[in-house]
Amino acid sequence: MEKIVLVTGGAGYIGSTTTKLLQQYDYKTITLDNLSSGTRDLNKSDFFYEGSISNEKLLEKIFSTFEITAVLHFAASSLVEESVQNPKKYYENNVVGTIKLLEKMLEFNVKKIIFSSSASVYGKPKKIPIREKTKTKPLNPYGRTKFFIEEILKDYHTAYGLSSISLRYFNACGTEKDLEVGEVHTPETHLIPLLVRAALENKPISINGRDYETYDGTCIRDYIHVSDLANAHLKALNYLEKKEACLRINLANEQGFSILEIIQALEKILGKKIQIKNSPRRPGDPAILIGKNETAEKILGWKTQITNIEEIIKTAYNWQCSNRFKELTALIDKNPSISSSILKKNQTEQQEFY
Ligand SMILES: NC(=O)c1ccc[n+]([C@@H]2O[C@H](COP(=O)([O-])OP(=O)(O)OC[C@H]3O[C@@H](n4cnc5c(N)ncnc54)[C@H](O)[C@@H]3O)[C@@H](O)[C@H]2O)c1
């Protein structure tokens, strides 16, 4: 039987990377993305629908056209600060949108979903490393949307037999090896791409808070490579193809690096100093987040493959130096939905680091 999956948010960073991997494993992929933060040209799906997960008519069309076997649900608004200022947008887009998607899935008897959850469901955990049994207490509306959706999935499993795996990612970063799809967020809020940009443009990188209870005063995070995340989705999909389940699983690198350590790692790679600008703490930023992967290893048979932080940062650096990245960012400035046919083949003009 042909394996046809619906990928919501497939024009985003993690969704496009996962789509590419799934295709290598002979999945037929259909992307549904409203391009609110995604880039049309980043997506390599067999079929692409521009629109929202809240658009019931469009969902109806997609589910009646294809015999979808599972859904990978990446689509979401995911800026923490914005979620504090405009929680309505987050509850509507993430929670209400997901309920509409689930409704259509059940109507068409599609009973498998892999959901992009987040380490933000844990809030400020008392104990590090974080395991799935760690108490969940999200600190902001964004984290709460992830938490609520996990709860909804649990109830839908009990009542309607909907199987789900909620994958709780720690900080996604890096770029897949072909430098064909990667991170092009506008605005960019993640440390590694911001740092790479600062280094390339010889501008300072902001550090938000230097007085945290950590060994160098800066926040410590767990950086997981996007290709490892994509691979975990493939394993989760394989799992749901065999078993019914309702699971919540951490995806982490199991190592913590402070902001200063990340900056020093890029300085070492480039052999140059990067300027630093000290800024105040961001409200609600926990000092340390480091995850533990025992469940993913045990249940999915998944392990991280790219664990070295310098190697991870090099892939992010190479991506931003690639012509592909430059073309995509130029396209976003002009028109986010312009056709990919005008894109040239991927080449890199600056030095690559391996
Ligand atoms: N990047 C991270 O470090 C990280 C960490 C934890 C969890 N996550 C979660 O993983 C998922 C993917 O993250 P990402 O970094 O690839 O983000 P992204 O912004 O690059 O991708 C999200 C995609 O969803 C699309 N989208 C948003 N709302 C939509 C809607 N209503 N209908 C259709 N499409 C919609 C956007 O256009 C975008 O293409 C998100 O759910 C995010 O919350 C990301």
Side-chain angles (χ1 to χ4, degrees):
M1 192 177 121
E2 196 175 26
K3 290 186 281 190
I4 309 177
V5 291
L6 173 64
V7 183
T8 75
Y13 169 43
I14 307 168
S16 62
T17 308
T18 306
T19 300
K20 191 181 158 189
L21 181 73
L22 291 177
Q23 289 180 318
Q24 287 161 4
Y25 282 82
D26 294 331
Y27 283 89
K28 186 173 264 185
T29 56
I30 298 136
T31 285
L32 170 61
D33 197 302
N34 66 1
L35 302 178
S36 53
S37 62
T39 311
R40 170 68 189 92
D41 295 84
L42 205 54
N43 184 267
K44 305 277 178 195
S45 270
D46 298 293
F47 296 91
F48 186 92
Y49 289 87
E50 183 178 340
S52 174
I53 52 167
S54 300
N55 183 336
E56 290 165 56
K57 275 200 181 138
L58 182 56
L59 286 173
E60 177 90 29
K61 185 176 165 190
I62 296 171
F63 280 100
S64 52
T65 306
F66 302 97
E67 276 200 41
I68 291 166
T69 49
V71 175
L72 287 97
H73 182 28
F74 297 94
S77 304
S78 48
L79 300 173
V80 170
E81 276 184 60
E82 186 188 53
S83 82
V84 176
Q85 287 146 12
N86 188 3
K88 181 172 175 283
K89 173 176 172 182
Y90 280 71
Y91 291 121
E92 265 172 15
N93 196 40
N94 297 4
V95 182
V96 178
T98 300
I99 291 173
K100 290 196 170 148
L101 172 70
L102 297 179
E103 202 176 301
K104 222 26 102 186
M105 286 176 64
L106 293 176
E107 202 180 309
F108 283 84
N109 206 26
V110 179
K111 295 232 170 139
K112 303 177 206 312
I113 184 167
I114 294 163
F115 169 58
S116 298
S117 190
S118 161
S120 63
V121 297
Y122 295 112
K124 260 186 202 180
K126 288 205 179 87
K127 257 177 114 180
I128 299 290
I130 303 165
R131 297 181 157 83
E132 290 81 358
K133 66 174 188 226
T134 301
K135 196 171 160 28
T136 43
K137 201 167 183 263
L139 297 174
N140 49 61
Y142 165 69
R144 276 188 281 279
T145 66
K146 297 294 181 189
F147 170 79
F148 292 146
I149 296 166
E150 287 190 0
E151 294 292 294
I152 291 168
L153 290 172
K154 191 166 121 203
D155 290 339
Y156 276 42
H157 179 244
T158 310
Y160 313 124
L162 178 83
S163 277
S164 65
I165 301 185
S166 295
L167 296 173
R168 293 174 171 169
Y169 320 153
F170 284 68
N171 288 41
C173 55
T175 309
E176 54 98 28
K177 63 175 173 23
D178 304 328
L179 303 181
E180 219 179 341
V181 294
E183 193 164 16
V184 276
H185 290 131
T186 12
E188 187 52 80
T189 57
H190 298 122
L191 174 66
I192 292 179
L194 284 174
L195 175 64
V196 169
R197 192 191 302 166
L200 287 170
E201 295 175 357
N202 285 317
K203 288 190 176 148
I205 178 79
S206 274
I207 299 184
N208 294 103
R210 299 205 52 165
D211 55 352
Y212 284 93
E213 310 72 41
T214 60
Y215 41 78
D216 63 17
T218 66
C219 286
I220 294 176
R221 293 288 178 271
D222 182 316
Y223 295 91
I224 170 142
H225 195 275
V226 69
S227 297
D228 278 325
L229 286 182
N231 198 29
H233 285 79
L234 179 67
K235 299 255 183 195
L237 198 51
N238 294 159
Y239 185 90
L240 287 188
E241 281 158 5
K242 293 188 207 98
K243 286 185 192 155
E244 229 201 77
C246 177
L247 299 166
R248 294 149 184 199
I249 297 180
N250 282 349
L251 297 178
N253 190 7
E254 301 192 317
Q255 304 176 73
F257 293 95
S258 74
I259 297 177
L260 280 178
E261 284 173 326
I262 297 292
I263 296 172
Q264 282 153 8
L266 184 60
E267 286 180 337
K268 193 170 152 211
I269 293 165
L270 300 179
K272 73 168 190 182
K273 270 284 192 220
I274 296 167
Q275 303 163 56
I276 288 172
K277 184 175 152 219
N278 292 320
S279 303
R281 283 184 180 208
R282 285 184 310 203
D285 255 349
I288 307 177
L289 292 175
I290 303 170
K292 197 84 184 133
N293 287 330
E294 298 142 326
T295 312
E297 286 184 26
K298 194 166 138 215
I299 294 184
L300 304 180
W302 170 87
K303 261 182 184 275
T304 46
Q305 300 191 344
I306 310 172
T307 53
N308 181 286
I309 196 65
E310 280 182 29
E311 197 186 331
I312 291 173
I313 295 172
K314 278 176 196 169
T315 69
Y317 181 84
N318 289 340
W319 168 240
Q320 284 202 30
C321 292
S322 70
N323 282 344
R324 175 88 174 124
F325 175 78
K326 287 173 194 157
E327 284 163 349
L328 286 167
T329 43
L331 278 174
I332 295 165
D333 288 345
K334 275 198 226 136
N335 175 357
S337 54
I338 199 163
S339 159
S340 61
S341 58
I342 66 161
L343 287 177
K344 285 181 237 137
K345 274 256 169 248
N346 167 49
Q347 297 161 347
T348 51
E349 64 179 25
Q350 298 204 22
Q351 188 186 359
E352 289 192 9
F353 294 91
Y354 291 102

